Amino acid sequence: MGKEPTGPREQRHSQLLRGVLDLCLLALIAERPRFGYEIVEALGESGLELVSEGSIYPLLARMERNGLADTYRAPSPSGGAPRKYYRPTEAGLAELEAGRTAWLVFRGAVDQALSAGTPKEDTPEEGR
Amino acid sequence: MGKEPTGPREQRHSQLLRGVLDLCLLALIAERPRFGYEIVEALGESGLELVSEGSIYPLLARMERNGLADTYRAPSPSGGAPRKYYRPTEAGLAELEAGRTAWLVFRGAVDQALSAGTPKEDTPEEGR
DNA sequence: CAGGAGTATCTTGCACCGCAAGGTAATGAG
DNA sequence: CTCATTACCTTGCGGTGCAAGATACTCCTG
């Protein structure tokens, strides 16, 4: 077994996350205040299982530094280090809204680009 | 004249393209052989207008180096430098297929993650 | 008390890649 | 020749996901 430091498959996943991971975090903490450890699990349930702590803690810190989120501490009820809960600021909510729109536009563009060169396709109307 | 080198809005776009741009190129050259200059325009028609030559020429070269695409030269019929046409190899087609699947999975995961914390939404189903 | 396990946060350094900016080359018109 | 157009290529910067490792708090066991 060659020791492959991040194979080519999961590498694509890392690249795909760029530009969207911060929005996912904002959406999650907009639903309700959450702490880092919890967010990793929540992302896993959405299908983003490969996201690890090394990614989100720096990202959360950056969002706080940029005024997109603020935090408060609370003791852990399950025993352990105190939790640091994040919740979006007004600027964070605005960024989330803008980001959602950007994502929808981008998603449509990629879908269309990837539909080029498909072996069997009906190429439906586009004039509507 | 505020010289703003890439504002925050188009910056997100750049990050979003990562992990997907190569697939878009593969899809375009899988449809038919194309040359770089043409690809920029084709991407623009898909809604990815911000993709510039500085992005795709290095990317095309990388794909050729990695055995995902091969090339041939042909003179330009409209007067100008000779064109370099790209077309996918077998490995490139396989990569494209794998990438399309990865994109669909990722797209669904992000959609689900972003649907968290939406202000007003019906949340159609979701297990009762 | 000491030690270990589980929970949770934070930091460092690397590697990847899109892109602005600038350069090269070929062709045809004036 | 010079200019315009078409087309390709290269350099350097900058943002960011992530593996790996360090830190800290709490509870349990002996």
Side-chain angles (χ1 to χ4, degrees):
Chain A
M1 302 342 194
K3 193 65 171 358
E4 221 142 341
T6 62
R9 297 288 121 69
E10 36 278 286
Q11 184 135 5
R12 161 157 285 125
H13 197 270
S14 300
Q15 300 299 326
L16 282 169
L17 280 172
R18 289 175 179 246
V20 157
L21 187 53
D22 57 337
L23 295 179
C24 292
L25 296 206
L26 278 172
L28 286 172
I29 65 178
E31 190 175 29
R32 68 155 185 261
R34 297 191 200 233
F35 55 99
Y37 221 72
E38 183 185 9
I39 291 177
V40 176
E41 296 173 4
L43 286 176
E45 291 177 11
S46 295
L48 270 31
E49 307 185 12
L50 299 178
V51 181
S52 62
E53 308 170 31
S55 304
I56 65 163
Y57 282 117
L59 179 50
L60 285 170
R62 194 188 315 149
M63 293 198 303
E64 185 181 9
R65 200 160 50 240
N66 293 10
L68 299 177
D70 57 3
T71 67
Y72 60 92
R73 296 264 184 180
S76 172
S78 53
R83 297 169 170 175
K84 189 172 180 181
Y85 284 89
Y86 288 83
R87 84 186 330 171
T89 61
E90 297 252 340
L93 290 175
E95 182 69 19
L96 175 57
E97 262 332 285
R100 273 201 247 254
T101 303
W103 164 250
L104 289 179
V105 171
F106 176 76
R107 177 166 76 92
V110 171
D111 278 344
Q112 183 172 339
L114 283 188
S115 74
T118 40
K120 48 264 188 161
E121 201 203 348
D122 294 324
T123 56
E125 305 315 297
E126 71 176 69
R128 125 81 38 241
Chain B
M1 312 36 172
K3 201 36 173 14
E4 216 141 345
T6 61
R9 297 289 122 67
E10 38 276 285
Q11 184 133 5
R12 161 159 285 124
H13 196 269
S14 300
Q15 299 299 329
L16 281 169
L17 281 172
R18 287 176 176 243
V20 158
L21 187 53
D22 57 336
L23 294 179
C24 292
L25 295 207
L26 279 172
L28 286 172
I29 65 178
E31 190 175 28
R32 68 157 184 257
R34 299 194 201 231
F35 55 99
Y37 221 71
E38 184 186 9
I39 291 177
V40 176
E41 297 173 4
L43 286 175
E45 291 177 11
S46 297
L48 271 28
E49 306 185 14
L50 299 178
V51 181
S52 62
E53 306 173 33
S55 305
I56 64 161
Y57 281 117
L59 179 50
L60 285 171
R62 195 187 316 148
M63 292 198 303
E64 185 181 8
R65 201 161 48 240
N66 292 11
L68 299 176
D70 55 4
T71 67
Y72 60 92
R73 296 262 183 183
S76 172
S78 55
R83 296 169 169 175
K84 188 173 179 181
Y85 284 89
Y86 289 82
R87 86 185 330 170
T89 61
E90 297 251 340
L93 289 176
E95 183 69 19
L96 175 56
E97 260 333 283
R100 274 202 246 253
T101 303
W103 164 250
L104 289 179
V105 171
F106 176 76
R107 181 168 76 99
V110 171
D111 278 344
Q112 183 172 339
L114 283 188
S115 74
T118 42
K120 43 262 191 160
E121 202 205 344
D122 296 323
T123 53
E125 62 268 50
E126 170 66 38
R128 86 132 317 122

